[in-house]
Amino acid sequence: MIQPSRTQSVHVAIYARHSTDKQETSTQDQIRRCREYCSVKGYHVADVFFDEGISGSHLANRPGIGALLVAALDGKFEGVIAEDLSRISRDQADTANFFKKMVFLGVPVETAGSAATKLTPPTSSRRWCFSVCRLKR
């Protein structure tokens, strides 16, 4: 579970994706379920990112996940909520790379689906270092 501070709730980002009209759940259905999950957990939804009608086979060329990564670098939220891991990517290497980036930034990722999972990174955040390196580019 993402750990809130004593004085305020945790700010999280929701990510949703679906690739075709034939898929069981739309991005709006996923976002609604993630919002319900956040409500139960006491999380504040800081932003919502989504990719609609885009394949989950790779992270490349997905503006929603790209914007989420930039916002994570900028410290806009303290955790990411998705319905399940396949919403991040259907490619295991891409999913592992996404989690690796989130761990580096100190941003936990949780899934709100029926098989809820959480990935909690180390407590020390390296966001400042990563942001400084980004500014030097």
Side-chain angles (χ1 to χ4, degrees):
M1 179 168 61
I2 301 167
Q3 297 297 318
S5 71
R6 294 177 190 213
T7 58
Q8 63 187 35
S9 63
V10 174
H11 290 74
V12 298
I14 291 173
Y15 179 73
R17 179 196 60 77
H18 86 275
S19 54
T20 68
D21 292 336
K22 296 176 184 175
Q23 200 163 355
E24 284 183 31
T25 61
S26 70
T27 53
Q28 293 309 311
D29 291 336
Q30 293 171 43
I31 291 166
R32 179 184 47 77
R33 280 190 286 281
C34 287
R35 283 188 185 279
E36 290 168 359
Y37 176 85
C38 290
S39 178
V40 168
K41 294 287 191 171
Y43 299 159
H44 170 76
V45 178
D47 212 340
V48 176
F49 302 89
F50 60 93
D51 289 305
E52 202 151 4
I54 300 176
S55 170
S57 61
H58 298 289
L59 290 178
N61 299 319
R62 288 174 41 204
I65 199 91
L68 181 141
L69 288 166
V70 169
L73 285 171
D74 292 339
K76 302 289 185 185
F77 47 81
E78 300 151 323
V80 175
I81 308 297
E83 187 177 47
D84 64 52
L85 293 178
S86 69
R87 301 304 88 207
I88 305 291
S89 181
R90 292 204 179 272
D91 181 278
Q92 289 180 349
D94 279 348
T95 301
N97 189 33
F98 175 83
F99 279 114
K100 185 177 180 181
K101 288 175 184 176
M102 294 298 106
V103 167
F104 182 81
L105 294 172
V107 178
V109 177
E110 291 183 19
T111 59
S114 59
T117 58
K118 61 183 176 183
L119 183 92
T120 307
T123 54
S124 64
S125 175
R126 299 180 198 158
R127 183 178 286 126
W128 180 83
C129 173
F130 203 69
S131 294
V132 169
C133 294
R134 187 169 170 243
L135 289 172
K136 290 184 177 183
R137 279 195 279 156

